[in-house]
Amino acid sequence: MAIEVGNVLEGTVTGITKFGAFVELPDKKVGLVHISEVANEYVKDVHDFLKVQEKVSVKVLSVDDKGKIGLSIKQTKPAPEKKEFRPKKEFRPRNGFESNRRSVAAPVSFEDRLSRFMKESDERLLDLKRNTESKRGGRGASRRAD
């Protein structure tokens, strides 16, 4: 059978590296199965999935001008079932800014929220200024001449 893109062939693993596995195809040609094409799950080490001299079924992904053959084992197997999407629970902060608000039952107008935000923002800015000014002033004054 000719080695053409899309064909599924039988081959033998001839070598394993950290980036994939080399597979000998019919006609004594060798192609590379990249580590990302070994299995449908995360592959940290190719040795965990393949052994040298193991017979594998591979799909031809690419054949370049230099004769390099890109292969996939993953694409010869059926895709795993996707997990059902479950929306996450609604976000509710446990402490901090949100816990200081009024109860959810009493709606707060935009103007009230804005004035509260401005007040808290001004307080935080004032605290920040106090802390930075006290750290800047005392560097040169504390040195004494001996």
mmCIF file with all atom_site columns, all heavy atoms in Angstrom, residues 30-57:
data_model
loop_
_atom_site.group_PDB
_atom_site.id
_atom_site.type_symbol
_atom_site.label_atom_id
_atom_site.label_alt_id
_atom_site.label_comp_id
_atom_site.label_asym_id
_atom_site.label_entity_id
_atom_site.label_seq_id
_atom_site.pdbx_PDB_ins_code
_atom_site.Cartn_x
_atom_site.Cartn_y
_atom_site.Cartn_z
_atom_site.occupancy
_atom_site.B_iso_or_equiv
_atom_site.pdbx_formal_charge
_atom_site.auth_seq_id
_atom_site.auth_comp_id
_atom_site.auth_asym_id
_atom_site.auth_atom_id
_atom_site.pdbx_PDB_model_num
ATOM 1   N N   . VAL A 1 30 ? 10.484 4.937  7.460  1.00 0.00 ? 30 VAL A N   1
ATOM 2   C CA  . VAL A 1 30 ? 10.298 5.242  8.872  1.00 0.00 ? 30 VAL A CA  1
ATOM 3   C C   . VAL A 1 30 ? 9.630  6.605  8.995  1.00 0.00 ? 30 VAL A C   1
ATOM 4   O O   . VAL A 1 30 ? 10.008 7.562  8.323  1.00 0.00 ? 30 VAL A O   1
ATOM 5   C CB  . VAL A 1 30 ? 11.649 5.237  9.621  1.00 0.00 ? 30 VAL A CB  1
ATOM 6   C CG1 . VAL A 1 30 ? 11.451 5.638  11.073 1.00 0.00 ? 30 VAL A CG1 1
ATOM 7   C CG2 . VAL A 1 30 ? 12.291 3.869  9.537  1.00 0.00 ? 30 VAL A CG2 1
ATOM 8   N N   . GLY A 1 31 ? 8.629  6.666  9.870  1.00 0.00 ? 31 GLY A N   1
ATOM 9   C CA  . GLY A 1 31 ? 7.936  7.918  10.137 1.00 0.00 ? 31 GLY A CA  1
ATOM 10  C C   . GLY A 1 31 ? 7.952  8.215  11.631 1.00 0.00 ? 31 GLY A C   1
ATOM 11  O O   . GLY A 1 31 ? 8.263  7.354  12.449 1.00 0.00 ? 31 GLY A O   1
ATOM 12  N N   . LEU A 1 32 ? 7.588  9.461  11.969 1.00 0.00 ? 32 LEU A N   1
ATOM 13  C CA  . LEU A 1 32 ? 7.598  9.891  13.370 1.00 0.00 ? 32 LEU A CA  1
ATOM 14  C C   . LEU A 1 32 ? 6.179  10.119 13.866 1.00 0.00 ? 32 LEU A C   1
ATOM 15  O O   . LEU A 1 32 ? 5.396  10.807 13.223 1.00 0.00 ? 32 LEU A O   1
ATOM 16  C CB  . LEU A 1 32 ? 8.395  11.193 13.530 1.00 0.00 ? 32 LEU A CB  1
ATOM 17  C CG  . LEU A 1 32 ? 8.344  11.840 14.915 1.00 0.00 ? 32 LEU A CG  1
ATOM 18  C CD1 . LEU A 1 32 ? 9.094  10.992 15.935 1.00 0.00 ? 32 LEU A CD1 1
ATOM 19  C CD2 . LEU A 1 32 ? 8.915  13.241 14.873 1.00 0.00 ? 32 LEU A CD2 1
ATOM 20  N N   . VAL A 1 33 ? 5.879  9.535  15.019 1.00 0.00 ? 33 VAL A N   1
ATOM 21  C CA  . VAL A 1 33 ? 4.639  9.832  15.727 1.00 0.00 ? 33 VAL A CA  1
ATOM 22  C C   . VAL A 1 33 ? 5.015  10.816 16.821 1.00 0.00 ? 33 VAL A C   1
ATOM 23  O O   . VAL A 1 33 ? 5.718  10.458 17.771 1.00 0.00 ? 33 VAL A O   1
ATOM 24  C CB  . VAL A 1 33 ? 4.018  8.559  16.353 1.00 0.00 ? 33 VAL A CB  1
ATOM 25  C CG1 . VAL A 1 33 ? 2.744  8.912  17.107 1.00 0.00 ? 33 VAL A CG1 1
ATOM 26  C CG2 . VAL A 1 33 ? 3.739  7.516  15.294 1.00 0.00 ? 33 VAL A CG2 1
ATOM 27  N N   . HIS A 1 34 ? 4.592  12.077 16.664 1.00 0.00 ? 34 HIS A N   1
ATOM 28  C CA  . HIS A 1 34 ? 4.917  13.089 17.664 1.00 0.00 ? 34 HIS A CA  1
ATOM 29  C C   . HIS A 1 34 ? 4.215  12.735 18.973 1.00 0.00 ? 34 HIS A C   1
ATOM 30  O O   . HIS A 1 34 ? 3.159  12.107 18.981 1.00 0.00 ? 34 HIS A O   1
ATOM 31  C CB  . HIS A 1 34 ? 4.477  14.482 17.172 1.00 0.00 ? 34 HIS A CB  1
ATOM 32  C CG  . HIS A 1 34 ? 4.933  15.584 18.062 1.00 0.00 ? 34 HIS A CG  1
ATOM 33  N ND1 . HIS A 1 34 ? 4.128  16.128 19.039 1.00 0.00 ? 34 HIS A ND1 1
ATOM 34  C CD2 . HIS A 1 34 ? 6.129  16.224 18.145 1.00 0.00 ? 34 HIS A CD2 1
ATOM 35  C CE1 . HIS A 1 34 ? 4.811  17.068 19.670 1.00 0.00 ? 34 HIS A CE1 1
ATOM 36  N NE2 . HIS A 1 34 ? 6.018  17.149 19.152 1.00 0.00 ? 34 HIS A NE2 1
ATOM 37  N N   . ILE A 1 35 ? 4.778  13.170 20.096 1.00 0.00 ? 35 ILE A N   1
ATOM 38  C CA  . ILE A 1 35 ? 4.232  12.848 21.419 1.00 0.00 ? 35 ILE A CA  1
ATOM 39  C C   . ILE A 1 35 ? 2.773  13.295 21.555 1.00 0.00 ? 35 ILE A C   1
ATOM 40  O O   . ILE A 1 35 ? 1.978  12.639 22.219 1.00 0.00 ? 35 ILE A O   1
ATOM 41  C CB  . ILE A 1 35 ? 5.114  13.474 22.533 1.00 0.00 ? 35 ILE A CB  1
ATOM 42  C CG1 . ILE A 1 35 ? 4.704  12.956 23.910 1.00 0.00 ? 35 ILE A CG1 1
ATOM 43  C CG2 . ILE A 1 35 ? 5.097  14.989 22.463 1.00 0.00 ? 35 ILE A CG2 1
ATOM 44  C CD1 . ILE A 1 35 ? 5.682  13.329 25.013 1.00 0.00 ? 35 ILE A CD1 1
ATOM 45  N N   . SER A 1 36 ? 2.396  14.366 20.873 1.00 0.00 ? 36 SER A N   1
ATOM 46  C CA  . SER A 1 36 ? 1.015  14.851 20.945 1.00 0.00 ? 36 SER A CA  1
ATOM 47  C C   . SER A 1 36 ? 0.049  13.975 20.160 1.00 0.00 ? 36 SER A C   1
ATOM 48  O O   . SER A 1 36 ? -1.164 14.103 20.299 1.00 0.00 ? 36 SER A O   1
ATOM 49  C CB  . SER A 1 36 ? 0.933  16.283 20.421 1.00 0.00 ? 36 SER A CB  1
ATOM 50  O OG  . SER A 1 36 ? 1.262  16.330 19.049 1.00 0.00 ? 36 SER A OG  1
ATOM 51  N N   . GLU A 1 37 ? 0.578  13.066 19.338 1.00 0.00 ? 37 GLU A N   1
ATOM 52  C CA  . GLU A 1 37 ? -0.263 12.186 18.524 1.00 0.00 ? 37 GLU A CA  1
ATOM 53  C C   . GLU A 1 37 ? -0.215 10.732 18.995 1.00 0.00 ? 37 GLU A C   1
ATOM 54  O O   . GLU A 1 37 ? -0.669 9.837  18.295 1.00 0.00 ? 37 GLU A O   1
ATOM 55  C CB  . GLU A 1 37 ? 0.163  12.264 17.049 1.00 0.00 ? 37 GLU A CB  1
ATOM 56  C CG  . GLU A 1 37 ? -0.109 13.596 16.395 1.00 0.00 ? 37 GLU A CG  1
ATOM 57  C CD  . GLU A 1 37 ? -1.591 13.897 16.229 1.00 0.00 ? 37 GLU A CD  1
ATOM 58  O OE1 . GLU A 1 37 ? -2.393 12.947 16.155 1.00 0.00 ? 37 GLU A OE1 1
ATOM 59  O OE2 . GLU A 1 37 ? -1.940 15.089 16.185 1.00 0.00 ? 37 GLU A OE2 1
ATOM 60  N N   . VAL A 1 38 ? 0.331  10.503 20.192 1.00 0.00 ? 38 VAL A N   1
ATOM 61  C CA  . VAL A 1 38 ? 0.438  9.132  20.707 1.00 0.00 ? 38 VAL A CA  1
ATOM 62  C C   . VAL A 1 38 ? -0.880 8.653  21.304 1.00 0.00 ? 38 VAL A C   1
ATOM 63  O O   . VAL A 1 38 ? -1.309 7.529  21.062 1.00 0.00 ? 38 VAL A O   1
ATOM 64  C CB  . VAL A 1 38 ? 1.579  9.017  21.744 1.00 0.00 ? 38 VAL A CB  1
ATOM 65  C CG1 . VAL A 1 38 ? 1.555  7.683  22.462 1.00 0.00 ? 38 VAL A CG1 1
ATOM 66  C CG2 . VAL A 1 38 ? 2.922  9.220  21.054 1.00 0.00 ? 38 VAL A CG2 1
ATOM 67  N N   . ALA A 1 39 ? -1.542 9.488  22.101 1.00 0.00 ? 39 ALA A N   1
ATOM 68  C CA  . ALA A 1 39 ? -2.764 9.064  22.789 1.00 0.00 ? 39 ALA A CA  1
ATOM 69  C C   . ALA A 1 39 ? -3.708 10.247 22.936 1.00 0.00 ? 39 ALA A C   1
ATOM 70  O O   . ALA A 1 39 ? -3.314 11.402 22.797 1.00 0.00 ? 39 ALA A O   1
ATOM 71  C CB  . ALA A 1 39 ? -2.431 8.483  24.165 1.00 0.00 ? 39 ALA A CB  1
ATOM 72  N N   . ASN A 1 40 ? -4.969 9.940  23.253 1.00 0.00 ? 40 ASN A N   1
ATOM 73  C CA  . ASN A 1 40 ? -5.996 10.966 23.435 1.00 0.00 ? 40 ASN A CA  1
ATOM 74  C C   . ASN A 1 40 ? -5.916 11.641 24.798 1.00 0.00 ? 40 ASN A C   1
ATOM 75  O O   . ASN A 1 40 ? -6.752 12.457 25.116 1.00 0.00 ? 40 ASN A O   1
ATOM 76  C CB  . ASN A 1 40 ? -7.387 10.360 23.262 1.00 0.00 ? 40 ASN A CB  1
ATOM 77  C CG  . ASN A 1 40 ? -7.712 10.142 21.808 1.00 0.00 ? 40 ASN A CG  1
ATOM 78  O OD1 . ASN A 1 40 ? -7.436 10.982 20.964 1.00 0.00 ? 40 ASN A OD1 1
ATOM 79  N ND2 . ASN A 1 40 ? -8.289 8.991  21.501 1.00 0.00 ? 40 ASN A ND2 1
ATOM 80  N N   . GLU A 1 41 ? -4.945 11.301 25.593 1.00 0.00 ? 41 GLU A N   1
ATOM 81  C CA  . GLU A 1 41 ? -4.768 11.901 26.908 1.00 0.00 ? 41 GLU A CA  1
ATOM 82  C C   . GLU A 1 41 ? -3.370 12.513 26.988 1.00 0.00 ? 41 GLU A C   1
ATOM 83  O O   . GLU A 1 41 ? -2.576 12.364 26.058 1.00 0.00 ? 41 GLU A O   1
ATOM 84  C CB  . GLU A 1 41 ? -4.972 10.857 28.007 1.00 0.00 ? 41 GLU A CB  1
ATOM 85  C CG  . GLU A 1 41 ? -4.038 9.660  27.872 1.00 0.00 ? 41 GLU A CG  1
ATOM 86  C CD  . GLU A 1 41 ? -4.413 8.536  28.807 1.00 0.00 ? 41 GLU A CD  1
ATOM 87  O OE1 . GLU A 1 41 ? -5.247 7.723  28.433 1.00 0.00 ? 41 GLU A OE1 1
ATOM 88  O OE2 . GLU A 1 41 ? -3.851 8.503  29.916 1.00 0.00 ? 41 GLU A OE2 1
ATOM 89  N N   . TYR A 1 42 ? -3.093 13.205 28.081 1.00 0.00 ? 42 TYR A N   1
ATOM 90  C CA  . TYR A 1 42 ? -1.785 13.832 28.253 1.00 0.00 ? 42 TYR A CA  1
ATOM 91  C C   . TYR A 1 42 ? -0.703 12.768 28.328 1.00 0.00 ? 42 TYR A C   1
ATOM 92  O O   . TYR A 1 42 ? -0.809 11.802 29.085 1.00 0.00 ? 42 TYR A O   1
ATOM 93  C CB  . TYR A 1 42 ? -1.769 14.692 29.521 1.00 0.00 ? 42 TYR A CB  1
ATOM 94  C CG  . TYR A 1 42 ? -0.425 15.295 29.805 1.00 0.00 ? 42 TYR A CG  1
ATOM 95  C CD1 . TYR A 1 42 ? 0.054  16.338 29.024 1.00 0.00 ? 42 TYR A CD1 1
ATOM 96  C CD2 . TYR A 1 42 ? 0.379  14.810 30.822 1.00 0.00 ? 42 TYR A CD2 1
ATOM 97  C CE1 . TYR A 1 42 ? 1.293  16.898 29.262 1.00 0.00 ? 42 TYR A CE1 1
ATOM 98  C CE2 . TYR A 1 42 ? 1.624  15.365 31.078 1.00 0.00 ? 42 TYR A CE2 1
ATOM 99  C CZ  . TYR A 1 42 ? 2.078  16.408 30.299 1.00 0.00 ? 42 TYR A CZ  1
ATOM 100 O OH  . TYR A 1 42 ? 3.302  16.957 30.535 1.00 0.00 ? 42 TYR A OH  1
ATOM 101 N N   . VAL A 1 43 ? 0.347  12.936 27.528 1.00 0.00 ? 43 VAL A N   1
ATOM 102 C CA  . VAL A 1 43 ? 1.456  11.986 27.500 1.00 0.00 ? 43 VAL A CA  1
ATOM 103 C C   . VAL A 1 43 ? 2.700  12.688 28.025 1.00 0.00 ? 43 VAL A C   1
ATOM 104 O O   . VAL A 1 43 ? 3.231  13.587 27.378 1.00 0.00 ? 43 VAL A O   1
ATOM 105 C CB  . VAL A 1 43 ? 1.710  11.477 26.060 1.00 0.00 ? 43 VAL A CB  1
ATOM 106 C CG1 . VAL A 1 43 ? 2.897  10.517 26.045 1.00 0.00 ? 43 VAL A CG1 1
ATOM 107 C CG2 . VAL A 1 43 ? 0.473  10.810 25.504 1.00 0.00 ? 43 VAL A CG2 1
ATOM 108 N N   . LYS A 1 44 ? 3.135  12.283 29.210 1.00 0.00 ? 44 LYS A N   1
ATOM 109 C CA  . LYS A 1 44 ? 4.356  12.861 29.777 1.00 0.00 ? 44 LYS A CA  1
ATOM 110 C C   . LYS A 1 44 ? 5.572  12.103 29.264 1.00 0.00 ? 44 LYS A C   1
ATOM 111 O O   . LYS A 1 44 ? 6.587  12.681 28.930 1.00 0.00 ? 44 LYS A O   1
ATOM 112 C CB  . LYS A 1 44 ? 4.306  12.815 31.305 1.00 0.00 ? 44 LYS A CB  1
ATOM 113 C CG  . LYS A 1 44 ? 5.474  13.494 31.961 1.00 0.00 ? 44 LYS A CG  1
ATOM 114 C CD  . LYS A 1 44 ? 5.322  13.592 33.454 1.00 0.00 ? 44 LYS A CD  1
ATOM 115 C CE  . LYS A 1 44 ? 6.497  14.364 34.055 1.00 0.00 ? 44 LYS A CE  1
ATOM 116 N NZ  . LYS A 1 44 ? 6.327  14.550 35.475 1.00 0.00 ? 44 LYS A NZ  1
ATOM 117 N N   . ASP A 1 45 ? 5.444  10.781 29.205 1.00 0.00 ? 45 ASP A N   1
ATOM 118 C CA  . ASP A 1 45 ? 6.541  9.933  28.744 1.00 0.00 ? 45 ASP A CA  1
ATOM 119 C C   . ASP A 1 45 ? 5.981  8.927  27.743 1.00 0.00 ? 45 ASP A C   1
ATOM 120 O O   . ASP A 1 45 ? 5.056  8.171  28.063 1.00 0.00 ? 45 ASP A O   1
ATOM 121 C CB  . ASP A 1 45 ? 7.180  9.212  29.931 1.00 0.00 ? 45 ASP A CB  1
ATOM 122 C CG  . ASP A 1 45 ? 8.424  8.430  29.553 1.00 0.00 ? 45 ASP A CG  1
ATOM 123 O OD1 . ASP A 1 45 ? 8.887  8.560  28.397 1.00 0.00 ? 45 ASP A OD1 1
ATOM 124 O OD2 . ASP A 1 45 ? 8.942  7.695  30.408 1.00 0.00 ? 45 ASP A OD2 1
ATOM 125 N N   . VAL A 1 46 ? 6.552  8.897  26.555 1.00 0.00 ? 46 VAL A N   1
ATOM 126 C CA  . VAL A 1 46 ? 6.080  8.001  25.493 1.00 0.00 ? 46 VAL A CA  1
ATOM 127 C C   . VAL A 1 46 ? 6.237  6.539  25.912 1.00 0.00 ? 46 VAL A C   1
ATOM 128 O O   . VAL A 1 46 ? 5.442  5.681  25.525 1.00 0.00 ? 46 VAL A O   1
ATOM 129 C CB  . VAL A 1 46 ? 6.838  8.286  24.174 1.00 0.00 ? 46 VAL A CB  1
ATOM 130 C CG1 . VAL A 1 46 ? 6.360  7.373  23.060 1.00 0.00 ? 46 VAL A CG1 1
ATOM 131 C CG2 . VAL A 1 46 ? 6.678  9.741  23.777 1.00 0.00 ? 46 VAL A CG2 1
ATOM 132 N N   . HIS A 1 47 ? 7.240  6.260  26.750 1.00 0.00 ? 47 HIS A N   1
ATOM 133 C CA  . HIS A 1 47 ? 7.470  4.881  27.204 1.00 0.00 ? 47 HIS A CA  1
ATOM 134 C C   . HIS A 1 47 ? 6.266  4.313  27.968 1.00 0.00 ? 47 HIS A C   1
ATOM 135 O O   . HIS A 1 47 ? 6.114  3.096  28.066 1.00 0.00 ? 47 HIS A O   1
ATOM 136 C CB  . HIS A 1 47 ? 8.718  4.808  28.103 1.00 0.00 ? 47 HIS A CB  1
ATOM 137 C CG  . HIS A 1 47 ? 9.990  5.006  27.349 1.00 0.00 ? 47 HIS A CG  1
ATOM 138 N ND1 . HIS A 1 47 ? 10.552 6.241  27.182 1.00 0.00 ? 47 HIS A ND1 1
ATOM 139 C CD2 . HIS A 1 47 ? 10.802 4.127  26.703 1.00 0.00 ? 47 HIS A CD2 1
ATOM 140 C CE1 . HIS A 1 47 ? 11.676 6.116  26.479 1.00 0.00 ? 47 HIS A CE1 1
ATOM 141 N NE2 . HIS A 1 47 ? 11.848 4.846  26.174 1.00 0.00 ? 47 HIS A NE2 1
ATOM 142 N N   . ASP A 1 48 ? 5.429  5.175  28.527 1.00 0.00 ? 48 ASP A N   1
ATOM 143 C CA  . ASP A 1 48 ? 4.253  4.709  29.257 1.00 0.00 ? 48 ASP A CA  1
ATOM 144 C C   . ASP A 1 48 ? 3.184  4.165  28.314 1.00 0.00 ? 48 ASP A C   1
ATOM 145 O O   . ASP A 1 48 ? 2.274  3.456  28.745 1.00 0.00 ? 48 ASP A O   1
ATOM 146 C CB  . ASP A 1 48 ? 3.646  5.846  30.087 1.00 0.00 ? 48 ASP A CB  1
ATOM 147 C CG  . ASP A 1 48 ? 4.599  6.340  31.180 1.00 0.00 ? 48 ASP A CG  1
ATOM 148 O OD1 . ASP A 1 48 ? 5.515  5.580  31.558 1.00 0.00 ? 48 ASP A OD1 1
ATOM 149 O OD2 . ASP A 1 48 ? 4.409  7.477  31.648 1.00 0.00 ? 48 ASP A OD2 1
ATOM 150 N N   . PHE A 1 49 ? 3.276  4.484  27.019 1.00 0.00 ? 49 PHE A N   1
ATOM 151 C CA  . PHE A 1 49 ? 2.249  4.094  26.060 1.00 0.00 ? 49 PHE A CA  1
ATOM 152 C C   . PHE A 1 49 ? 2.752  3.126  24.992 1.00 0.00 ? 49 PHE A C   1
ATOM 153 O O   . PHE A 1 49 ? 1.973  2.348  24.452 1.00 0.00 ? 49 PHE A O   1
ATOM 154 C CB  . PHE A 1 49 ? 1.671  5.340  25.374 1.00 0.00 ? 49 PHE A CB  1
ATOM 155 C CG  . PHE A 1 49 ? 0.881  6.216  26.294 1.00 0.00 ? 49 PHE A CG  1
ATOM 156 C CD1 . PHE A 1 49 ? 1.510  7.178  27.076 1.00 0.00 ? 49 PHE A CD1 1
ATOM 157 C CD2 . PHE A 1 49 ? -0.493 6.082  26.408 1.00 0.00 ? 49 PHE A CD2 1
ATOM 158 C CE1 . PHE A 1 49 ? 0.786  7.989  27.935 1.00 0.00 ? 49 PHE A CE1 1
ATOM 159 C CE2 . PHE A 1 49 ? -1.222 6.886  27.258 1.00 0.00 ? 49 PHE A CE2 1
ATOM 160 C CZ  . PHE A 1 49 ? -0.580 7.835  28.025 1.00 0.00 ? 49 PHE A CZ  1
ATOM 161 N N   . LEU A 1 50 ? 4.031  3.192  24.664 1.00 0.00 ? 50 LEU A N   1
ATOM 162 C CA  . LEU A 1 50 ? 4.580  2.360  23.592 1.00 0.00 ? 50 LEU A CA  1
ATOM 163 C C   . LEU A 1 50 ? 5.847  1.637  24.034 1.00 0.00 ? 50 LEU A C   1
ATOM 164 O O   . LEU A 1 50 ? 6.565  2.105  24.909 1.00 0.00 ? 50 LEU A O   1
ATOM 165 C CB  . LEU A 1 50 ? 4.914  3.229  22.374 1.00 0.00 ? 50 LEU A CB  1
ATOM 166 C CG  . LEU A 1 50 ? 3.768  3.980  21.712 1.00 0.00 ? 50 LEU A CG  1
ATOM 167 C CD1 . LEU A 1 50 ? 4.302  4.925  20.646 1.00 0.00 ? 50 LEU A CD1 1
ATOM 168 C CD2 . LEU A 1 50 ? 2.759  3.023  21.127 1.00 0.00 ? 50 LEU A CD2 1
ATOM 169 N N   . LYS A 1 51 ? 6.112  0.525  23.381 1.00 0.00 ? 51 LYS A N   1
ATOM 170 C CA  . LYS A 1 51 ? 7.335  -0.247 23.613 1.00 0.00 ? 51 LYS A CA  1
ATOM 171 C C   . LYS A 1 51 ? 8.006  -0.478 22.267 1.00 0.00 ? 51 LYS A C   1
ATOM 172 O O   . LYS A 1 51 ? 7.341  -0.580 21.230 1.00 0.00 ? 51 LYS A O   1
ATOM 173 C CB  . LYS A 1 51 ? 7.026  -1.610 24.251 1.00 0.00 ? 51 LYS A CB  1
ATOM 174 C CG  . LYS A 1 51 ? 6.223  -1.531 25.537 1.00 0.00 ? 51 LYS A CG  1
ATOM 175 C CD  . LYS A 1 51 ? 7.071  -1.060 26.678 1.00 0.00 ? 51 LYS A CD  1
ATOM 176 C CE  . LYS A 1 51 ? 6.267  -1.026 27.956 1.00 0.00 ? 51 LYS A CE  1
ATOM 177 N NZ  . LYS A 1 51 ? 6.189  0.268  28.564 1.00 0.00 ? 51 LYS A NZ  1
ATOM 178 N N   . VAL A 1 52 ? 9.324  -0.602 22.255 1.00 0.00 ? 52 VAL A N   1
ATOM 179 C CA  . VAL A 1 52 ? 10.060 -0.896 21.029 1.00 0.00 ? 52 VAL A CA  1
ATOM 180 C C   . VAL A 1 52 ? 9.647  -2.285 20.541 1.00 0.00 ? 52 VAL A C   1
ATOM 181 O O   . VAL A 1 52 ? 9.420  -3.198 21.336 1.00 0.00 ? 52 VAL A O   1
ATOM 182 C CB  . VAL A 1 52 ? 11.583 -0.825 21.288 1.00 0.00 ? 52 VAL A CB  1
ATOM 183 C CG1 . VAL A 1 52 ? 12.377 -1.217 20.048 1.00 0.00 ? 52 VAL A CG1 1
ATOM 184 C CG2 . VAL A 1 52 ? 11.968 0.578  21.735 1.00 0.00 ? 52 VAL A CG2 1
ATOM 185 N N   . GLN A 1 53 ? 9.508  -2.438 19.226 1.00 0.00 ? 53 GLN A N   1
ATOM 186 C CA  . GLN A 1 53 ? 9.073  -3.659 18.530 1.00 0.00 ? 53 GLN A CA  1
ATOM 187 C C   . GLN A 1 53 ? 7.570  -3.917 18.664 1.00 0.00 ? 53 GLN A C   1
ATOM 188 O O   . GLN A 1 53 ? 7.089  -4.961 18.249 1.00 0.00 ? 53 GLN A O   1
ATOM 189 C CB  . GLN A 1 53 ? 9.860  -4.903 19.004 1.00 0.00 ? 53 GLN A CB  1
ATOM 190 C CG  . GLN A 1 53 ? 11.342 -4.836 18.730 1.00 0.00 ? 53 GLN A CG  1
ATOM 191 C CD  . GLN A 1 53 ? 11.666 -4.691 17.242 1.00 0.00 ? 53 GLN A CD  1
ATOM 192 O OE1 . GLN A 1 53 ? 11.031 -5.297 16.395 1.00 0.00 ? 53 GLN A OE1 1
ATOM 193 N NE2 . GLN A 1 53 ? 12.634 -3.836 16.943 1.00 0.00 ? 53 GLN A NE2 1
ATOM 194 N N   . GLU A 1 54 ? 6.832  -2.979 19.228 1.00 0.00 ? 54 GLU A N   1
ATOM 195 C CA  . GLU A 1 54 ? 5.380  -3.120 19.338 1.00 0.00 ? 54 GLU A CA  1
ATOM 196 C C   . GLU A 1 54 ? 4.742  -2.815 17.984 1.00 0.00 ? 54 GLU A C   1
ATOM 197 O O   . GLU A 1 54 ? 5.130  -1.878 17.289 1.00 0.00 ? 54 GLU A O   1
ATOM 198 C CB  . GLU A 1 54 ? 4.848  -2.153 20.403 1.00 0.00 ? 54 GLU A CB  1
ATOM 199 C CG  . GLU A 1 54 ? 3.351  -2.227 20.620 1.00 0.00 ? 54 GLU A CG  1
ATOM 200 C CD  . GLU A 1 54 ? 2.870  -1.263 21.694 1.00 0.00 ? 54 GLU A CD  1
ATOM 201 O OE1 . GLU A 1 54 ? 3.701  -0.690 22.425 1.00 0.00 ? 54 GLU A OE1 1
ATOM 202 O OE2 . GLU A 1 54 ? 1.653  -1.075 21.781 1.00 0.00 ? 54 GLU A OE2 1
ATOM 203 N N   . LYS A 1 55 ? 3.761  -3.618 17.596 1.00 0.00 ? 55 LYS A N   1
ATOM 204 C CA  . LYS A 1 55 ? 3.018  -3.382 16.358 1.00 0.00 ? 55 LYS A CA  1
ATOM 205 C C   . LYS A 1 55 ? 1.924  -2.361 16.645 1.00 0.00 ? 55 LYS A C   1
ATOM 206 O O   . LYS A 1 55 ? 1.172  -2.503 17.614 1.00 0.00 ? 55 LYS A O   1
ATOM 207 C CB  . LYS A 1 55 ? 2.373  -4.673 15.852 1.00 0.00 ? 55 LYS A CB  1
ATOM 208 C CG  . LYS A 1 55 ? 3.347  -5.781 15.566 1.00 0.00 ? 55 LYS A CG  1
ATOM 209 C CD  . LYS A 1 55 ? 4.002  -5.571 14.235 1.00 0.00 ? 55 LYS A CD  1
ATOM 210 C CE  . LYS A 1 55 ? 4.867  -6.791 13.911 1.00 0.00 ? 55 LYS A CE  1
ATOM 211 N NZ  . LYS A 1 55 ? 5.841  -6.532 12.889 1.00 0.00 ? 55 LYS A NZ  1
ATOM 212 N N   . VAL A 1 56 ? 1.844  -1.322 15.805 1.00 0.00 ? 56 VAL A N   1
ATOM 213 C CA  . VAL A 1 56 ? 0.846  -0.270 15.999 1.00 0.00 ? 56 VAL A CA  1
ATOM 214 C C   . VAL A 1 56 ? 0.188  0.075  14.672 1.00 0.00 ? 56 VAL A C   1
ATOM 215 O O   . VAL A 1 56 ? 0.758  -0.116 13.604 1.00 0.00 ? 56 VAL A O   1
ATOM 216 C CB  . VAL A 1 56 ? 1.482  1.011  16.601 1.00 0.00 ? 56 VAL A CB  1
ATOM 217 C CG1 . VAL A 1 56 ? 1.936  0.795  18.023 1.00 0.00 ? 56 VAL A CG1 1
ATOM 218 C CG2 . VAL A 1 56 ? 2.609  1.524  15.748 1.00 0.00 ? 56 VAL A CG2 1
ATOM 219 N N   . SER A 1 57 ? -1.020 0.603  14.787 1.00 0.00 ? 57 SER A N   1
ATOM 220 C CA  . SER A 1 57 ? -1.743 1.108  13.633 1.00 0.00 ? 57 SER A CA  1
ATOM 221 C C   . SER A 1 57 ? -1.554 2.625  13.619 1.00 0.00 ? 57 SER A C   1
ATOM 222 O O   . SER A 1 57 ? -1.780 3.282  14.632 1.00 0.00 ? 57 SER A O   1
ATOM 223 C CB  . SER A 1 57 ? -3.217 0.738  13.765 1.00 0.00 ? 57 SER A CB  1
ATOM 224 O OG  . SER A 1 57 ? -3.950 1.264  12.696 1.00 0.00 ? 57 SER A OG  1
#
